[in-house]
Amino acid sequence: MSDAAGMLITLSGPSGSGKGTIVRQLLERRRDTVLSVSATTRPPRPDETEGVHYYFRTREEFERMIRAGAFLEYAEYNGSYYGTPREPVDEWLSKGMNVLLEIEVQGAEKVMDSGAALVSVFITTPSMAELERRLRTRATEPEEKIRGRLEIARWELSRAFRYDYIVVNDEVALAVNRIDAVIKAESMRYPYMKKFILEVMRDAQTDRY
Ligand code: 5GP
């Protein structure tokens, strides 16, 4: 890790766990943190914009990007591809910014297995009943897709043990505070403080002390 490197953070958790809302509020609070925009083959929802929420791509385009090694990670989820473009992430990190990846569990595990320096956070609703309620309230999808998401959620919860932190989203403001606390604590780890410590040491070697 270079001295200037920011922190790579994955946020995962069942669809409907409130990740999106939490991320938006977290970004408002932390100017040192950016969200990676993923590519996907799923069709845009009515309120979604190309390049803001996702890069919407055909399966052919996505598969070409896979072959070109353009993804830090990618996965198939509920019948569509989702992937994190590698280049912008590397660029932000090298500038010292923290980068959030809001990605599902298979993708997060790929990043964990790659050996990259990473802080992984799993977000969950307080209960399965609450998750189902939130998915149905959103109601942008047919019943079959909602059932698909619940089935995937059950599996995702069974992988929570691999994560560094588990954040319960009982109330958005509280969940945002918890993740903010994780970032604050993690940024005090030695690799992120090394540059600071070296400067203090250099200062300590001058004649003044
Ligand atoms: P949605 O269709 O609700 O926008 O996203 C479905 C799931 O895909 C969510 O759990 C979301 O976090 C995840 N996802 C979004 N972008 C990526 C990505 O780049 N890679 C992976 N592996 N998952 C992603």
Side-chain angles (χ1 to χ4, degrees), residues 19 38 42 45 54 73 82-84 102-104 149:
K19 277 174 299 179
S38 299
R42 98 153 152 66
R45 297 187 185 128
Y54 282 105
E73 62 71 37
Y82 294 81
T84 306
E102 189 206 319
I103 63 179
E104 53 69 65
R149 285 181 189 265

Side-chain angles (χ1 to χ4, degrees), residues 7-23:
M7 196 186 301
L8 184 60
I9 305 155
T10 58
L11 291 181
S12 305
S15 170
S17 60
K19 277 174 299 179
T21 315
I22 291 171
V23 164

Side-chain angles (χ1 to χ4, degrees), residues 57-89:
R57 295 291 178 263
T58 63
R59 284 190 86 83
E60 293 68 37
E61 287 167 339
F62 198 101
E63 284 168 357
R64 212 175 303 135
M65 289 172 77
I66 295 174
R67 286 195 297 274
F71 292 118
L72 180 65
E73 62 71 37
Y74 70 92
E76 272 207 86
Y77 174 96
N78 215 14
S80 301
Y81 277 128
Y82 294 81
T84 306
R86 183 191 299 277
E87 223 177 271
V89 173

Side-chain angles (χ1 to χ4, degrees), residues 14-151:
S15 170
S17 60
K19 277 174 299 179
T21 315
I22 291 171
V23 164
R24 273 197 303 280
Q25 295 198 12
L26 189 68
L27 291 176
E28 276 171 27
R29 191 182 298 190
R30 298 204 61 107
R31 296 291 164 196
D32 59 355
T33 304
V34 293
L35 177 66
S36 155
V37 179
S38 299
T40 184
T41 59
R42 98 153 152 66
R45 297 187 185 128
D47 58 341
E48 287 179 332
T49 309
E50 164 72 18
V52 176
H53 298 93
Y54 282 105
Y55 298 106
F56 296 98
R57 295 291 178 263
T58 63
R59 284 190 86 83
E60 293 68 37
E61 287 167 339
F62 198 101
E63 284 168 357
R64 212 175 303 135
M65 289 172 77
I66 295 174
R67 286 195 297 274
F71 292 118
L72 180 65
E73 62 71 37
Y74 70 92
E76 272 207 86
Y77 174 96
N78 215 14
S80 301
Y81 277 128
Y82 294 81
T84 306
R86 183 191 299 277
E87 223 177 271
V89 173
D90 288 346
E91 203 175 313
W92 283 118
L93 288 176
S94 70
K95 286 181 179 154
M97 296 291 281
N98 301 328
V99 181
L100 286 179
L101 308 182
E102 189 206 319
I103 63 179
E104 53 69 65
V105 167
Q106 303 168 76
E109 292 196 7
K110 280 186 200 163
V111 187
M112 291 174 199
D113 294 340
S114 76
L118 172 73
V119 180
S120 59
V121 178
F122 187 90
I123 301 176
T124 177
T125 46
S127 67
M128 201 68 187
E130 175 60 12
L131 183 71
E132 181 166 7
R133 194 192 63 75
R134 288 188 200 175
L135 283 176
R136 291 194 189 286
T137 311
R138 189 157 78 184
T140 50
E141 288 182 324
E143 176 64 24
E144 173 199 323
K145 285 274 179 190
I146 291 177
R147 275 207 308 273
R149 285 181 189 265
L150 282 169
E151 192 52 47

